[in-house]
Amino acid sequence: MSAIEIKRLGPGFAAEVRGAGLADVAQRDDAYAAVRAAFEAHSVLVFHGQKISDELQIAYSKRFGPLEIAKAASRAEGTPFSVLTNIEPDGSLVPPDHKEALRARANQLWHTDSCFKDPPALASVLSARVVATVGGETEFASQRLGWERLPEPRRARLADAYAWHDYAYSRGKISPAMISTRERSTLPPVRWRVRWRNPANGRDSLYIASHTYAIDGMPEGEAQALLAELIEHTTASGHTYLHHWQPGDVLMWDNRCILHRGRPWPDDQPRHVVRTTITATEADGLAAMRPAA
Ligand code: OGA
Ligand code: MN
């Protein structure tokens, strides 16, 4: 096998993996160990030229931990896939007021996947199946670097703060019609510490997103202003990595420390991407995220 090479892509985070693909990681412990180390260090990994299939995406993703099963009313309900697409089963494109078009708009808010779930997500793996020729990029920012850029007194105040996350809150910013009563009842708000410490390297990260609506002990208006300011700080110009998708690309990101958002593309262009989501376990630093009983 060729040596695995890691090539830095973004400002202090994000890297391309060369010399190993998803199949190597699925099949070989040494390739998994190298890619896992790169994931802990760089937070966003890019693989080009993958011959992706649903089976390969599952085999790769399962190396990192248990997979989330899609529950909410999605096309992929009951499977480990979250499918983001504007293509109808008959090949036509969805109209702009379609649920999938609203989902795409909601994805354009800075977020981390599944912080509104218990357990939350360790990582997401996203494969390009059909890419738009203009737009449709995915943009990333590091909450680890955002945390490290905060002044120390600020970090000290935030380290033991707890914040509330709610899927209905972020969807409500797009359209109140976006979330069904069933989704609302299966996804009650959850609370996590505002700082996630990575047990592999001891590095701390902010852990907030557009799903985050409250901080314990703080008036709601003040908390929401602070959350917006922290997201702006983390995602400020010059601190993001914008990924232009090519067919065959697969990306993986660390939801403990990465904010991401989709970028718009023309309504008349097809785009179809498939995500698998790996659930965080205690080994990923989850225990310290829960409020003391
Ligand atoms: C996701 C997501 C953005 C995009 O799959 O979790 O936010 O650009 N995707 O498709
Ligand atoms: Mn997402």
Side-chain angles (χ1 to χ4, degrees):
M1 130 196 175
S2 55
I4 295 178
E5 270 179 67
I6 303 295
K7 183 188 162 227
R8 168 57 55 77
L9 294 171
F13 72 103
E16 180 189 339
V17 179
R18 293 178 175 175
L22 271 65
D24 299 297
V25 172
Q27 287 156 19
R28 298 204 330 259
D29 291 346
D30 62 327
Y32 168 68
V35 170
R36 176 82 197 211
F39 165 78
E40 301 288 359
H42 301 284
S43 309
V44 179
L45 300 181
V46 174
F47 296 86
H48 292 301
Q50 300 300 300
K51 286 202 184 66
I52 196 68
S53 64
D54 288 353
E55 295 69 32
L56 178 56
Q57 187 162 343
I58 289 179
Y60 171 87
S61 303
K62 272 167 74 175
R63 275 289 196 167
F64 294 81
L67 304 190
E68 250 183 36
I69 299 299
K71 261 199 217 123
S74 93
R75 253 186 227 179
E77 184 161 2
T79 77
F81 300 110
S82 173
V83 178
L84 296 173
T85 186
N86 62 354
I87 311 173
E88 295 276 28
D90 70 1
S92 65
L93 298 188
V94 303
D97 59 347
H98 190 276
K99 180 154 193 200
E100 291 296 332
L102 295 177
R103 265 180 95 196
R105 273 175 49 209
N107 261 322
Q108 290 166 23
L109 303 172
W110 284 111
H111 67 282
T112 184
D113 294 325
S114 298
C115 62
F116 48 82
K117 292 185 182 170
D118 184 2
L122 167 66
S124 294
V125 176
L126 190 65
S127 65
R129 306 295 176 96
V130 177
V131 303
T133 55
V134 209
E137 304 91 346
T138 309
E139 191 171 15
F140 298 90
S142 170
Q143 298 205 79
R144 182 189 284 173
L145 296 178
W147 175 266
E148 291 170 358
R149 289 199 308 276
L150 286 174
E152 166 53 29
R154 202 96 200 268
R155 290 200 298 255
R157 276 201 308 277
L158 288 169
D160 297 316
Y162 289 87
W164 289 90
H165 310 265
D166 186 1
Y167 183 68
Y169 174 68
S170 59
R171 300 306 95 162
K173 295 176 188 175
I174 301 297
S175 159
M178 263 200 86
I179 178 150
S180 65
T181 314
R182 184 160 75 101
E183 282 172 309
R184 201 177 280 274
S185 63
T186 53
L187 292 169
V190 299
R191 182 169 44 160
W192 301 116
R193 187 187 289 266
V194 165
R195 181 207 62 187
W196 195 321
R197 177 165 292 167
N198 179 316
N201 53 30
R203 288 179 74 180
D204 288 336
S205 176
L206 270 171
Y207 187 66
I208 59 170
S210 57
H211 307 299
T212 316
Y213 68 96
I215 296 176
D216 277 352
M218 202 180 276
E220 199 142 301
E222 199 180 308
Q224 290 179 2
L226 173 62
L227 291 163
E229 186 201 323
L230 290 169
I231 291 175
E232 221 163 273
H233 159 86
T234 295
T235 61
S237 142
H239 295 287
T240 69
Y241 166 66
L242 184 70
H243 185 74
H244 299 269
W245 289 91
Q246 298 165 32
D249 284 356
V250 177
L251 267 61
M252 177 182 202
W253 60 85
D254 187 339
N255 282 306
R256 297 170 298 179
C257 64
I258 287 296
L259 285 176
H260 64 283
R261 64 172 178 180
R263 302 306 291 147
W265 72 95
D267 285 342
D268 60 357
Q269 285 204 20
R271 184 178 188 271
H272 184 107
V273 294
V274 175
R275 192 180 95 201
T276 37
T277 313
I278 298 141
T279 300
T281 65
E282 302 310 324
D284 303 313
L286 186 55
M289 295 298 288
R290 298 184 193 281

